[in-house]
Amino acid sequence: MSSDLIHFYSDSSSHRGHQFVVVGGIAIRPDHVERINGLLQSLKDDAGINREFKWNEYKGGRKRQAYEAAVDLFFQLLHENKLHFHCVICDFTAFDHKKDGLGSPEKSVNKLYYQLMLHRVCAFYGQQMRIIMTPDHGNDSSEIVNFRGAICAAAYRKYKTRPNCLRAIQPQPSASNNILQMLDVIIGAIAAHRENRKLGPNKVHLRDYILSSSPIKDFSIDTTNEARRLTVWNFK
C-alpha cells in the first residue's frame, strides 16, 4: 500500500435554518480506514443501531453508550496521531450566497469546501502526499468535484505542492461509510456549540460530552498557524 496517500472524509452541518455552518473533515491514511470503519460498525451492532450515527437523529436512550464510544474513538485516534481533523466555520447570516450570481446555501457550502481543501488539506499535505477527498454525497457537495483542477493549480502556486496533489474527489453516501457518520456527530455538536443553539437534554449531554473530550473548548477561536492535528478556522 502506498505510503504517500491520504484520504480526507468531509461533511457539512447546519447550512439550512441555522446561523453557523461547519464544514469539516477527517484526514487519515488508507491503512487505517478498514479498521476504523469496522470498530464503528461493531459499536453500532452491539447497540442494535441499524441506521447511521447522526447528530440530527440522536435521541439518547440505549444508543447513548455507542455514540459516546464513537466520540471516544475519534479523540483517541486524534491523540494517537492516526487521524487529523480540520474545519471551517462560517456565520451564514453574514454570507452573500448570490455574490457570484445565482446562488444558494448549498452552493456556498461547496465554496467553503474549496477553501478548506486549498488552505488546510492541500496546504498541509500536498507537498508530500497524494490526496483523495470523499465528501458526503449531496447537493452541498455536488459542485466541489468540478473544482478539483482549480484547487490543484492554486495549491501548486501558493503552497508549492505536488502537481495534481488532489488526485480525486469521490462523493459517497454516508450510509455506506461509518467514518463519515462519526464526522457528522462531531461537526453537528460543533455547529450547535458555535451558535449556542437551544437543544433538548439528550443533545445537550452529547454536545457537552464531545466538548469535554476535545482539546479545544471554544470553537469561536481559531487555532494557531502551527496547529496540524486539529485546526479551526472561523471564515469571515
Side-chain angles (χ1 to χ4, degrees):
M1 183 175 294
S2 176
S3 61
D4 70 341
L5 181 65
I6 197 161
H7 290 271
F8 189 69
Y9 295 95
S10 51
D11 196 6
S12 70
S13 180
S14 305
H15 68 275
R16 283 286 186 183
H18 295 290
Q19 180 181 359
F20 287 95
V21 63
V22 176
V23 175
I26 292 170
I28 187 169
R29 289 183 181 271
D31 50 319
H32 296 311
V33 169
E34 184 176 356
R35 172 177 169 267
I36 295 170
N37 268 317
L39 289 171
L40 290 165
Q41 188 61 48
S42 293
L43 293 177
K44 292 165 65 176
D45 291 343
D46 290 347
I49 298 174
N50 298 318
R51 302 179 69 180
E52 300 180 53
F53 282 124
K54 296 288 284 186
W55 167 259
N56 282 338
E57 297 178 9
Y58 178 71
K59 296 181 175 63
R62 64 187 179 90
K63 298 179 181 179
R64 173 178 288 188
Q65 186 174 358
Y67 272 73
E68 290 179 354
V71 171
D72 292 343
L73 178 62
F74 174 85
F75 286 107
Q76 175 189 338
L77 294 168
L78 184 68
H79 176 72
E80 294 174 351
N81 202 30
K82 291 179 180 175
L83 67 76
H84 295 173
F85 172 76
H86 309 292
C87 70
V88 57
I89 303 171
C90 181
D91 181 351
F92 253 25
T93 63
F95 202 95
D96 185 0
H97 299 296
K98 300 184 182 297
K99 182 178 180 180
D100 298 319
L102 294 175
S104 68
E106 286 78 12
K107 289 180 181 292
S108 296
V109 170
N110 280 270
K111 294 176 183 178
L112 289 173
Y113 271 127
Y114 178 99
Q115 298 295 328
L116 183 66
M117 293 306 297
L118 173 60
H119 297 297
R120 290 296 181 267
V121 182
C122 291
F124 291 169
Y125 309 108
Q127 291 183 2
Q128 303 295 329
M129 309 292 287
R130 296 174 298 124
I131 303 161
I132 295 177
M133 179 191 185
T134 303
D136 187 10
H137 179 77
N139 290 336
D140 56 351
S141 65
S142 61
E143 295 185 0
I144 189 62
V145 294
N146 301 320
F147 297 160
R148 189 191 70 82
I151 293 169
C152 289
Y156 180 76
R157 292 193 304 268
K158 186 174 182 64
Y159 297 112
K160 304 298 186 291
T161 64
R162 287 180 168 191
N164 199 35
C165 66
L166 179 56
R167 294 303 176 92
I169 301 176
Q170 302 169 338
Q172 185 175 101
S174 60
S176 62
N177 190 299
N178 288 324
I179 293 175
L180 284 173
Q181 295 173 34
M182 176 174 64
L183 174 63
D184 178 275
V185 175
I186 298 296
I187 63 173
I190 292 171
H193 158 72
R194 185 65 181 84
E195 71 178 57
N196 195 25
R197 190 182 308 160
K198 185 176 180 181
L199 301 169
N202 289 313
K203 279 202 177 133
V204 166
H205 175 87
L206 183 58
R207 180 203 61 195
D208 291 349
Y209 190 86
I210 290 169
L211 289 174
S212 68
S213 303
S214 171
I216 293 176
K217 308 302 180 185
D218 185 350
F219 283 84
S220 68
I221 300 173
D222 292 350
T223 47
T224 66
N225 292 334
E226 293 73 32
R228 288 296 181 271
R229 292 191 190 185
L230 193 164
T231 68
V232 178
W233 173 18
N234 286 273
F235 186 85
K236 296 179 176 64

